Amino acid sequence: MELVLLLSSPLLGALVLGLVGGRRSAPELNVAFSLATFLAACLLTLRVIGTGNLLVAHEQFFIDPLNVFLVTLTSLVGLTTSLFSRPYMRIERDHGRVSGARLRLYHGMYQLFMATMLVALTTNNLGLLWVAMEGATLSTVLLVTLYRTPASLEAGWKYFILCGVGIAQALFGTILLYFAAEHSLGIEGASALLWTHLNGVKGQLEPAVLGLAFVFLLVGYGTKVGLAPLHNWLPDAHAEGPTPISAVLSGLLLNVAIYAVVRCKVLVEGALHSALPSRMLMGFGLLSVVLAACFLWRQRDIKRLFAYSSIEHMGIITFAFGMGGPVANFAALLHMTVHSLTKSAIFFAAGHAAQKAGSQLMDDIRGLITLSPTVGWGLMLGSLAILGLPPFGVFASEFLILTTAMREQPWAIPILLLALAVAFAAIFGRVQPMVFGETRARRLPHPPALLPVFAHLAIVLLLGLYIPPYLADWYRAAARLIAGQ
Amino acid sequence: MAGVPIDLQLLNLCAALLLLLSFAMLAQRRIVNLVNLLALQGALLLCATLLLAWRTGQAHLYVSALLTLALKVLFLPWLLHRLIRRLQVYWDSEPLLNIPVTMLAGLAVVVFAFGLAQPISALGSTATRNSIGIALAVVLLSFITMITRRKAMSQVVGFLSMENGLFFGAMSATYGMPMVVEFGVALDVLVAVLVLGVFFFQIREQFDSLDLQHLEKLREEAAAAGGGGNTSGGDN
């Protein structure tokens, strides 16, 4: 019941806002639908805490510890982003960058995007997971090109083609999984792609086929995660689209893509009894961390800078999932949570900073602290949090990942530490003058929405200081599930 | 092939023709012809699905054939033709890289695909399991078509042909995917093409051309002017 509410709220929202999304009151409607989705997610969470896992609609949808916390996180960030987008898009409209018709497209697609992500998270059918992931790409392509500038058109095209090709690989991987399931189990028809069924019999699946399937699945969904060397679309799409979209792409879509990879990894690892999936994840993860750290130095656009930082963090998470084991998985899940909250908060602050300066180039953004202390502090604290300074939550998760790596994969430690240090220097060196430099910029026509920024940062701070026991239990249950225990 | 029943022979013929078509696409310069080849590919896919449905008696394959007919044989080629007319790119053709070299690369890819599919085919239980290699080859050849093209329209045709290859792969390996997934995939393809249609007009409005080289040029200018970051687009 709650699940129906959860999925129908954004779908209905897409429909309604697709019709009236250009009106003056559309941003409020957008917030209202996002709030309804969030409340549904909370109800669902309560229900799952009360009664345990759910398996509904002919087993096509399910809720277990791994996806329920991602559902809550997704709907929470969806809600705060809609709060942020309310003044942000009004300012864009006043600046003449978007028209009413484009706002209609924007609001409708925003809700549709939320719906596809929630379907991807809750579906039990690996085929539907693929369909929803592709749907998430399609619903955001036109959002990336919302401003119709040459650069945004290129970004949108690259996004579409790279993710389209990537996700086609994932479809082939899914076909192979289906093939393996039919072959080994003789399960007929629709149930052969259900994750719960496959997970029950993963030991009997044909290892050769599953190994091959995993390569395709990892390359496919990995493209969406933004793993190097398939990350080319990510900085462009983040930098050229409207900022609320950068926030949800970075904070949510990447998480959902990682979720898809992890679901597949659980199956393949169970069938393979070898370290191949782990090694591949660790390799891709480390490569992304290193490459992103190098590219961070060359950035001059604030959104591109933080887009590369997202690639770096996705690399860290992928590496942690690659190490496997309950502790590393726990840390990776925690890192997914805190990264998504912190990164979207940073994008909120960066979006307003860029609006104030009238430019996304970091050389043009100066002296935020005198101009608008809240935006300045938001950006500064957010950057410190994402760089892994204590007492923020990112520190806790990175610390856990590093200590686990020291025990299990000591060779990776120097690489990780070096990359983290490089990233620290690059980002801090850029953010500091933006916040504390001299300035002469003008005021904004609408007051910026900074509640989301500080709400996110407060949660991240809280998670760094103290993880409530039920949340920790929840992470542990999910970590055990991923570790296949 | 004496002991092989006639319907299976026809199926194998379809598979072989699909492979041949992929090579034809690889060498085709004119965009209109590319779209026609895509429609032909859809028609072959339809024949293969119908033959397989008749052979195995599985009802959902008929539904799937109907979907192929509606979407891949009729609607998509019609839409693409319409787009070509509206965008006035009917006579467009594009310079290709060295065709013999592309063909040789294609041959290498086919050999690779057959090698990769060998262990899977050996495990299969379907009558068409030997076509898995062909399906993979079609996917990879479409991929080559995509990366050697500079026009937006030809890249899209490559993309759709890749999807056809995947569809054929699903069919030969497992007699198709579950119905709900097949509908979902079809919906995605449909939406993708509609989104691209909108997209073409946006690109056209901005650059007066569908040549993607304009995009790359702008990116480099932007990078030089301060966009920073990578300039290598589309590699994989």
Side-chain angles (χ1 to χ4, degrees), chain A residues 14-25:
Chain A
L15 206 67
V16 171
L17 285 164
L19 293 173
V20 302
R23 301 234 178 115
R24 271 278 157 192
S25 58

Side-chain angles (χ1 to χ4, degrees), chain A residues 1 27 32 53 80 99 139 157 190 192 202 204 236 269 276 326 336 350 386 426 437 440 447 453 455:
Chain A
M1 179 59 215
N53 298 355
T80 49
S99 63
S139 57
W157 184 258
K202 59 188 174 187
Q204 298 149 267
D236 290 354
E269 215 167 36
L276 174 81
M336 275 167 90
I386 205 73
R440 13 162 241 297
V453 179

Side-chain angles (χ1 to χ4, degrees), chain B residues 74-93:
Chain B
L74 299 176
F75 184 70
L76 289 185
W78 173 79
L79 192 73
L80 288 174
H81 270 294
R82 198 179 135 90
L83 273 174
I84 287 176
R85 270 202 311 279
R86 294 269 307 273
L87 293 163
Q88 296 165 354
V89 288
Y90 193 84
W91 293 105
D92 266 26
S93 65

Side-chain angles (χ1 to χ4, degrees), chain A residues 249-392:
Chain A
L249 280 181
S250 196
L252 301 180
L253 181 66
L254 305 185
N255 270 358
V256 177
I258 280 219
Y259 164 83
V261 172
V262 170
R263 280 276 181 217
C264 300
K265 184 202 167 217
V266 173
L267 294 181
V268 175
E269 215 167 36
L272 238 54
H273 309 295
S274 82
L276 174 81
S278 304
R279 291 218 183 98
M280 282 179 65
L281 284 179
M282 282 195 285
F284 272 113
L286 269 187
L287 186 65
S288 310
V289 175
V290 172
L291 222 69
C294 298
F295 273 112
L296 273 172
W297 280 103
R298 297 174 44 191
Q299 303 312 314
R300 303 172 68 178
D301 179 312
I302 183 166
K303 279 158 79 180
R304 288 184 80 89
L305 180 81
F306 286 111
Y308 273 103
S309 151
S310 289
I311 298 178
E312 182 210 339
H313 285 277
M314 288 302 127
I316 293 176
I317 295 168
T318 311
F319 176 78
F321 278 128
M323 281 194 297
V327 184
N329 287 338
F330 179 98
L333 291 168
L334 181 63
H335 201 83
M336 275 167 90
T337 317
V338 290
H339 169 261
S340 118
L341 289 168
T342 318
K343 192 50 68 63
S344 40
I346 291 178
F347 272 116
F348 299 158
H352 278 311
Q355 274 186 333
K356 267 189 199 305
S359 158
Q360 283 179 204
L361 292 185
M362 288 186 277
D363 292 336
D364 298 340
I365 304 173
R366 283 292 176 263
L368 290 171
I369 205 86
T370 47
L371 199 69
S372 163
T374 41
V375 173
W377 278 116
L379 188 60
M380 196 59 183
L381 289 176
S383 305
L384 290 180
I386 205 73
L387 289 170
L389 247 61
F392 288 104

